[in-house]
Amino acid sequence: AGQPSSSWSPRDRHQPGDFGDTDIELLKAGMPKNVTLIAGIFPESATRLHDAICFAHVDMDLEKSTEDAIEWLEPRLVSGGIVVFDDWLWPQCPGVERAIRRAELAVVQSVPLLCFWRAQ
């Protein structure tokens, strides 16, 4: 549904509403059947998810949104579950690194701009 204005900060490069033109049906058509895509603003859009999470890919771009994702995911991750964060150390999205460091997650960089965190 695009970048939420409630998570936006003047330090952010992306603006509220950016990426709001994403076509959810087009995305679903290209995904395997075991992948769940839910349109909306996270974490409100995830209220219907009650299963434990074993894998998540977080691509929020904004500091507050990344922080919200960490807070929501942490109690739901199974032991050994993995979260991949996009935009790690990318100068265009510095809030991603700030949110991860503030949460004191032990992340490992896997490839440029991606890092992962494994739940204990």
Side-chain angles (χ1 to χ4, degrees):
Q3 295 292 0
S5 58
S6 61
S7 292
W8 185 80
S9 161
R11 297 185 297 186
D12 292 320
R13 178 120 179 154
H14 295 294
Q15 300 295 310
D18 281 0
F19 311 115
D21 59 349
T22 302
D23 184 335
I24 189 75
E25 294 308 318
L26 183 63
L27 289 173
K28 284 180 180 179
M31 290 288 169
K33 299 297 180 209
N34 66 337
V35 173
T36 301
L37 295 177
I38 301 169
I41 301 293
F42 188 84
E44 292 83 15
S45 59
T47 57
R48 70 182 183 100
L49 297 176
H50 300 289
D51 296 331
I53 307 291
C54 62
F55 176 81
H57 181 218
V58 175
D59 185 2
M60 301 293 195
D61 299 332
L62 305 180
E63 184 172 354
K64 176 74 169 98
S65 295
T66 302
E67 184 178 275
D68 290 345
I70 292 167
E71 184 178 308
W72 188 89
L73 284 164
E74 197 163 18
R76 292 167 174 84
L77 281 172
V78 299
S79 179
I82 293 178
V83 178
V84 175
F85 293 95
D86 191 51
D87 301 320
W88 173 247
L89 304 178
W90 190 43
Q92 304 298 326
C93 297
V96 171
E97 179 185 2
R98 285 193 299 267
I100 292 169
R101 292 203 189 279
R102 191 171 38 260
E104 299 179 344
L105 302 181
V107 296
V108 176
Q109 184 167 351
S110 53
V111 297
L113 304 181
L114 293 177
C115 70
F116 71 91
W117 163 53
R118 183 183 311 269
Q120 297 303 317

